[in-house]
Amino acid sequence: MIWIEGVLVSEGAGGVYGERILQGYRVWDPYRSKLAAMYYLGAGPELRPDQTVLYLGAANGTTVSHVADYTSVVYAVEYAPRPMQDLLEVARRRKNIVPIMADATRPMEYAPLMESVDLVYQDVAQPGQVSIALNNAVFLKPGGNLVLVLKTRSIDVSRSPPDILAEAEEALRSGGLQVRQSVWLTPYHQDHAALICARD
Ligand code: SAM
């Protein structure tokens, strides 16, 4: 990962979403990207040029574009038509993003387009976040990582976020993943945690 004087950046064609450019690199803002926030907090698996990534909840491709700057291929799944239009434009300008319009709750529908990946990153903000992650872990290579961004308010606004986090960790373990680390994304994002998991 590339840091310039404490600022996380990525190397690639700029002008994707009006991001700032610092010494020729694209600034990756932790307030706009939960994945960037995780790195600012010192957590998570580093992105590397030899990695393939399945990205669930691609939205308009802002974070996807940074992940693509660091890795070899990003399979980017999004089901909403409006952000998908923006994602297609981002993918058009890069050679290593595969945009997939699909519902992440139904991974078998995009399985024919996929290969095994080194990293599954999920940011879908849905009540069924944990089961979506478990169902997509099928694409992980042995030794691969899964990062689940848990939005606790999407699961239950009335329960305490730490309880929801503990329940999610337990469900991931029961589903066969090792939960290596969990980190709250404050001060960048409220009521969001990143759960960093590994598959044996
Ligand atoms: N990860 C994005 C970023 O950093 O730029 C932001 C993601 S936004 C919080 C969540 C996205 O997940 C939305 O664009 C939404 O349409 C998408 N989403 C939610 N449920 C989904 C599902 N079941 N399948 C595919 N996409 C989904």
Side-chain angles (χ1 to χ4, degrees):
M1 312 288 292
I2 308 169
W3 296 84
I4 299 176
E5 292 165 9
V7 176
L8 181 62
V9 296
S10 69
E11 188 174 21
V16 174
Y17 58 99
E19 70 277 23
R20 210 156 56 83
I21 302 296
L22 179 63
Q23 297 178 23
Y25 291 87
R26 304 175 60 222
V27 171
W28 193 357
D29 183 349
Y31 290 96
R32 293 192 66 158
S33 166
K34 286 150 226 152
L35 188 57
M38 183 186 78
Y39 290 123
Y40 269 82
L41 293 163
E46 296 252 314
L47 301 173
R48 297 189 318 264
D50 60 335
Q51 287 173 329
T52 51
V53 180
L54 170 59
Y55 190 123
L56 304 168
N60 47 14
T62 58
T63 299
V64 168
S65 67
H66 290 286
V67 175
D69 286 347
Y70 276 107
T71 60
S72 70
V73 182
V74 183
Y75 297 90
V77 175
E78 171 57 52
Y79 73 175
R82 181 65 195 86
M84 191 67 192
Q85 285 177 17
D86 294 339
L87 177 64
L88 287 173
E89 185 55 27
V90 173
R92 197 179 61 77
R93 298 181 58 204
R94 279 176 164 70
K95 300 217 176 307
N96 62 342
I97 298 173
V98 181
I100 300 175
M101 188 160 179
D103 185 340
T105 62
R106 296 203 286 269
M108 285 311 123
E109 290 183 5
Y110 45 90
L113 305 174
M114 293 287 308
E115 59 181 319
S116 296
V117 294
D118 302 286
L119 175 67
V120 174
Y121 175 69
Q122 177 181 312
D123 179 18
V124 297
Q126 284 281 317
Q129 292 160 73
V130 177
S131 55
I132 290 174
L134 284 170
N135 290 338
N136 280 275
V138 68
F139 296 114
L140 268 184
K141 289 179 187 170
N145 290 113
L146 181 146
V147 175
L148 165 61
V149 172
L150 188 74
K151 184 176 180 184
T152 58
R153 294 178 66 80
S154 294
I155 292 178
D156 192 339
V157 280
S158 66
R159 289 176 53 209
S160 91
D163 282 356
I164 294 173
L165 174 60
E167 189 177 272
E169 289 173 339
E170 186 47 41
L172 291 166
R173 284 193 193 100
S174 304
L177 293 171
Q178 293 180 19
V179 182
R180 293 264 164 86
Q181 193 181 9
S182 298
V183 56
W184 290 104
L185 298 180
T186 45
Y188 306 105
H189 302 271
Q190 300 304 319
D191 296 324
H192 285 81
L195 286 75
I196 297 122
C197 308
R199 187 185 154 187
D200 288 334

